[in-house]
mmCIF file of all heavy atoms in Angstrom:
data_model
loop_
_atom_site.group_PDB
_atom_site.id
_atom_site.type_symbol
_atom_site.label_atom_id
_atom_site.label_comp_id
_atom_site.label_asym_id
_atom_site.label_seq_id
_atom_site.Cartn_x
_atom_site.Cartn_y
_atom_site.Cartn_z
ATOM 1 N N LEU Y 95 -4.535 -1.978 17.607
ATOM 2 C CA LEU Y 95 -5.857 -2.431 17.286
ATOM 3 C C LEU Y 95 -6.470 -1.593 16.146
ATOM 4 O O LEU Y 95 -7.323 -2.075 15.334
ATOM 5 C CB LEU Y 95 -6.770 -2.225 18.506
ATOM 6 C CG LEU Y 95 -6.658 -3.377 19.535
ATOM 7 C CD1 LEU Y 95 -7.551 -3.042 20.774
ATOM 8 C CD2 LEU Y 95 -7.095 -4.683 18.883
ATOM 9 N N LEU Y 132 -16.771 -2.727 9.965
ATOM 10 C CA LEU Y 132 -16.215 -1.471 10.445
ATOM 11 C C LEU Y 132 -17.120 -0.971 11.572
ATOM 12 O O LEU Y 132 -16.533 -0.489 12.680
ATOM 13 C CB LEU Y 132 -16.285 -0.437 9.329
ATOM 14 C CG LEU Y 132 -15.156 -0.472 8.368
ATOM 15 C CD1 LEU Y 132 -15.427 0.329 7.074
ATOM 16 C CD2 LEU Y 132 -13.889 0.071 9.023
ATOM 17 N N VAL Y 133 -18.399 -1.138 11.525
ATOM 18 C CA VAL Y 133 -19.270 -0.706 12.625
ATOM 19 C C VAL Y 133 -18.926 -1.449 13.932
ATOM 20 O O VAL Y 133 -18.697 -0.912 14.983
ATOM 21 C CB VAL Y 133 -20.784 -0.923 12.267
ATOM 22 C CG1 VAL Y 133 -21.688 -0.751 13.483
ATOM 23 C CG2 VAL Y 133 -21.172 -0.010 11.128
ATOM 24 N N ILE Y 134 -18.743 -2.779 13.765
ATOM 25 C CA ILE Y 134 -18.486 -3.642 14.875
ATOM 26 C C ILE Y 134 -17.082 -3.216 15.549
ATOM 27 O O ILE Y 134 -16.898 -3.094 16.701
ATOM 28 C CB ILE Y 134 -18.427 -5.173 14.592
ATOM 29 C CG1 ILE Y 134 -19.854 -5.586 14.245
ATOM 30 C CG2 ILE Y 134 -17.909 -5.992 15.780
ATOM 31 C CD1 ILE Y 134 -19.970 -6.949 13.573
ATOM 32 N N SER Y 135 -16.075 -3.027 14.627
ATOM 33 C CA SER Y 135 -14.715 -2.686 15.101
ATOM 34 C C SER Y 135 -14.783 -1.247 15.811
ATOM 35 O O SER Y 135 -14.108 -1.165 16.769
ATOM 36 C CB SER Y 135 -13.711 -2.702 13.947
ATOM 37 O OG SER Y 135 -13.895 -1.567 13.113
ATOM 38 N N ARG Y 136 -15.613 -0.361 15.311
ATOM 39 C CA ARG Y 136 -15.619 0.961 16.001
ATOM 40 C C ARG Y 136 -16.368 0.910 17.337
ATOM 41 O O ARG Y 136 -16.326 1.864 18.064
ATOM 42 C CB ARG Y 136 -16.354 1.994 15.062
ATOM 43 C CG ARG Y 136 -15.434 2.525 13.862
ATOM 44 C CD ARG Y 136 -14.174 3.100 14.527
ATOM 45 N NE ARG Y 136 -13.293 3.668 13.451
ATOM 46 C CZ ARG Y 136 -11.993 3.763 13.674
ATOM 47 N NH1 ARG Y 136 -11.389 3.193 14.701
ATOM 48 N NH2 ARG Y 136 -11.226 4.280 12.708
ATOM 49 N N LEU Y 137 -17.039 -0.232 17.652
ATOM 50 C CA LEU Y 137 -17.702 -0.392 18.973
ATOM 51 C C LEU Y 137 -16.610 -0.451 20.006
ATOM 52 O O LEU Y 137 -16.710 -0.030 21.106
ATOM 53 C CB LEU Y 137 -18.500 -1.691 19.023
ATOM 54 C CG LEU Y 137 -20.015 -1.544 18.658
ATOM 55 C CD1 LEU Y 137 -20.538 -2.959 18.546
ATOM 56 C CD2 LEU Y 137 -20.779 -0.842 19.587
ATOM 57 N N PHE Y 138 -15.397 -1.027 19.583
ATOM 58 C CA PHE Y 138 -14.356 -1.252 20.528
ATOM 59 C C PHE Y 138 -13.015 -0.510 20.301
ATOM 60 O O PHE Y 138 -12.276 -0.303 21.146
ATOM 61 C CB PHE Y 138 -13.960 -2.720 20.514
ATOM 62 C CG PHE Y 138 -15.145 -3.663 20.656
ATOM 63 C CD1 PHE Y 138 -15.714 -4.278 19.527
ATOM 64 C CD2 PHE Y 138 -15.705 -3.880 21.882
ATOM 65 C CE1 PHE Y 138 -16.859 -5.124 19.656
ATOM 66 C CE2 PHE Y 138 -16.805 -4.678 21.998
ATOM 67 C CZ PHE Y 138 -17.407 -5.272 20.885
ATOM 68 N N ILE Y 139 -12.882 -0.066 19.042
ATOM 69 C CA ILE Y 139 -11.557 0.486 18.718
ATOM 70 C C ILE Y 139 -11.817 1.947 18.124
ATOM 71 O O ILE Y 139 -12.684 2.180 17.287
ATOM 72 C CB ILE Y 139 -10.884 -0.328 17.578
ATOM 73 C CG1 ILE Y 139 -10.792 -1.821 17.994
ATOM 74 C CG2 ILE Y 139 -9.551 0.233 17.173
ATOM 75 C CD1 ILE Y 139 -10.583 -2.733 16.810
ATOM 76 N N GLY Y 140 -10.851 2.814 18.649
ATOM 77 C CA GLY Y 140 -10.964 4.165 18.106
ATOM 78 C C GLY Y 140 -10.623 5.242 19.200
ATOM 79 O O GLY Y 140 -10.869 4.971 20.424
ATOM 80 N N GLU Y 142 -12.109 8.111 19.398
ATOM 81 C CA GLU Y 142 -13.369 8.859 19.609
ATOM 82 C C GLU Y 142 -14.465 7.984 20.011
ATOM 83 O O GLU Y 142 -14.337 6.678 19.879
ATOM 84 C CB GLU Y 142 -13.819 9.542 18.298
ATOM 85 C CG GLU Y 142 -12.737 10.415 17.636
ATOM 86 C CD GLU Y 142 -12.429 11.686 18.563
ATOM 87 O OE1 GLU Y 142 -13.314 12.040 19.270
ATOM 88 O OE2 GLU Y 142 -11.405 12.231 18.249
ATOM 89 N N PHE Y 144 -18.023 5.826 20.078
ATOM 90 C CA PHE Y 144 -18.722 5.106 19.043
ATOM 91 C C PHE Y 144 -19.645 5.976 18.152
ATOM 92 O O PHE Y 144 -19.661 5.923 16.975
ATOM 93 C CB PHE Y 144 -19.521 3.915 19.606
ATOM 94 C CG PHE Y 144 -20.264 3.034 18.643
ATOM 95 C CD1 PHE Y 144 -19.713 2.385 17.603
ATOM 96 C CD2 PHE Y 144 -21.670 3.008 18.643
ATOM 97 C CE1 PHE Y 144 -20.338 1.612 16.708
ATOM 98 C CE2 PHE Y 144 -22.354 2.290 17.773
ATOM 99 C CZ PHE Y 144 -21.696 1.530 16.802
#
Side-chain angles (χ1 to χ4, degrees):
L95 279 177
L132 279 166
V133 170
I134 293 168
S135 75
R136 282 304 184 211
L137 271 171
F138 310 101
I139 305 163
E142 307 290 342
F144 179 63

